[in-house]
Amino acid sequence: MGPEKQGWGKVYFCPTPIGNLRDITLRVLDVLREADCIACEDTRVTLKLLNAYQIRKPLLSYHAHNIPQATRDILKLVREGKVVAFVSDAGMPGIQDPGMELVLRLLEEGVPFEVLPGPSAFLLGVVYSGFAFSGFIFLGFLPRKGRERREILKKVLLLPQATVLYESPRRLLETLGDIREIAGGERRVLVARELTKIHEEILRGAVAEVEEMLKGRDVLGEVVIVVEGAPKRKEEVQVPRRLLELLRRRGFTQKDIVALLSEGLGIEKNALKRQLSALEEVGNLGEG
Ligand code: SAM
């Protein structure tokens, strides 16, 4: 953040629990208690949290349908020197919720803001999965249209990084079906449902298996999907062409060469056969 404007207040992005009401930091509670106003996505959701911590503050509603007006209200308050705590319904504001737009507007207007650390559903999914050795790509919600969704999946599922998605329970099976068709039924996935809540459920396995587990079930609640990265293609050991040519000239048959090199060098027989056939096709090894 640059130097703060004289006399201006500030906006604090305050992460809130994604289920269990106790998952809130002491610093977030301090800011909520000290702020002049709390801007929130849904006042009913936020009141539940504030009541649990006996916090009473004026609320300002900021949701997908009133963003321009609500932003003006927040900017006015900050210019008057007020501190605004901004919360979304759950988790980190700005991760797949209306907080995304607010960040952009605050940057445009040069309004100081601070982001406090705290829970976000995708992080739990990533850690539960154990798939993030090569990192992960967080896509949030996929577009609703089937074709656009599949185009995006086709690109990311080729990468070695895990893919992390938010999904509605209604589209869960359809999305798993797309993943199976694009990446194959063996690709491993994790479906994390209702994280930190009473009915938390973690399903993991090959995508085809997880689909079976879910078929016929009425899946409810909130869902994170983590897809394992694409497996690395095994690099085939290449035997120097000159050695193969030499062995052939000395009268070894293809079968002899495969047996000899697989035993002597520990190279897989099929890989050797593929290399020999490729060379023979281009006429490098002669008959035999
Ligand atoms: N800002 C939130 C965050 O930091 O995670 C995300 C908000 S987005 C509107 C809501 C989506 O987050 C849900 O549809 C679901 O995919 C995911 N989500 C939120 N809470 C969750 C939970 N307790 N368990 C699983 N997924 C959750």
Side-chain angles (χ1 to χ4, degrees):
M1 296 268 85
E4 286 170 22
K5 300 255 167 67
Q6 278 282 305
W8 282 22
K10 195 168 180 177
V11 177
Y12 284 89
F13 282 70
C14 297
T16 56
I18 57 167
N20 187 320
L21 283 185
R22 294 181 65 76
D23 294 330
I24 187 159
T25 71
L26 296 175
R27 197 140 82 95
V28 167
L29 287 175
D30 286 345
V31 170
L32 292 175
R33 287 195 180 108
E34 283 158 28
D36 296 295
C37 159
I38 298 175
C40 59
E41 210 179 334
D42 182 334
T43 50
R44 285 163 307 176
V45 174
T46 300
L47 274 174
K48 207 169 138 207
L49 176 72
L50 297 179
N51 287 339
Y53 289 96
Q54 285 106 44
I55 297 172
R56 284 186 222 307
K57 285 283 155 176
L59 298 184
L60 190 160
S61 170
Y62 181 105
H63 51 73
H65 306 291
N66 75 346
I67 288 179
Q69 182 54 48
T71 307
R72 281 195 289 275
D73 294 343
I74 292 176
L75 294 178
K76 186 164 176 288
L77 286 167
V78 176
R79 286 180 185 130
E80 287 167 1
K82 301 280 193 304
V83 169
V84 178
F86 180 80
V87 301
S88 54
D89 281 352
M92 180 61 84
I95 297 293
Q96 297 291 293
D97 59 32
M100 294 189 282
E101 278 91 341
L102 185 60
V103 173
L104 291 179
R105 291 288 289 126
L106 296 179
L107 288 169
E108 276 168 16
E109 299 291 330
V111 171
F113 65 94
E114 192 170 328
V115 182
L116 303 185
S120 192
F122 79 88
L123 266 178
L124 278 76
V126 168
V127 177
Y128 266 123
S129 76
F131 294 154
F133 283 103
S134 311
F136 62 91
I137 295 167
F138 174 59
L139 293 182
F141 292 103
L142 289 170
R144 291 203 176 170
K145 285 208 181 117
R147 230 188 58 203
E148 280 173 61
R149 289 149 62 83
R150 290 173 59 85
E151 287 309 310
I152 293 174
L153 285 175
K154 271 184 199 161
K155 287 186 192 139
V156 290
L157 295 179
L158 284 175
L159 302 172
Q161 289 80 15
T163 300
V164 186
L165 304 168
Y166 281 171
E167 191 50 286
S168 92
R170 275 176 294 113
R171 274 191 293 275
L172 175 59
L173 265 177
E174 189 193 329
T175 301
L176 291 176
D178 286 344
I179 294 168
R180 172 177 37 76
E181 280 173 26
I182 293 165
E186 293 298 305
R187 183 72 70 88
R188 291 191 303 165
V189 294
L190 171 112
V191 172
R193 202 175 63 80
E194 295 290 81
L195 286 162
T196 78
K197 302 182 196 175
I198 298 168
H199 298 293
E200 174 173 302
E201 180 179 40
I202 308 287
L203 301 173
R204 63 176 97 232
V207 59
E209 290 166 2
V210 174
E211 277 183 285
E212 277 309 309
M213 296 174 202
L214 288 167
K215 260 184 203 148
R217 273 184 53 179
D218 192 11
V219 182
L220 300 171
E222 299 189 282
V223 177
V224 180
I225 305 174
V226 187
V227 190
E228 189 176 30
K232 282 207 187 98
R233 285 178 73 88
K234 274 199 198 132
E235 290 283 322
E236 288 193 351
V237 183
Q238 291 285 313
V239 180
R241 204 177 76 194
R242 284 181 58 195
L243 175 62
L244 296 176
E245 285 167 356
L246 183 69
L247 290 169
R248 293 296 262 127
R249 279 203 303 275
R250 298 272 165 98
F252 288 91
T253 64
Q254 262 215 34
K255 212 169 152 195
D256 293 336
I257 297 175
V258 169
L260 195 71
L261 296 182
S262 71
E263 197 184 326
L265 300 175
I267 301 176
E268 204 204 330
K269 283 188 177 162
N270 283 335
L272 285 165
K273 282 184 199 160
R274 275 196 291 276
Q275 200 184 338
L276 281 162
S277 323
L279 285 174
E280 240 141 71
E281 259 173 43
V282 292
N284 276 336
L285 291 183
E287 292 300 307

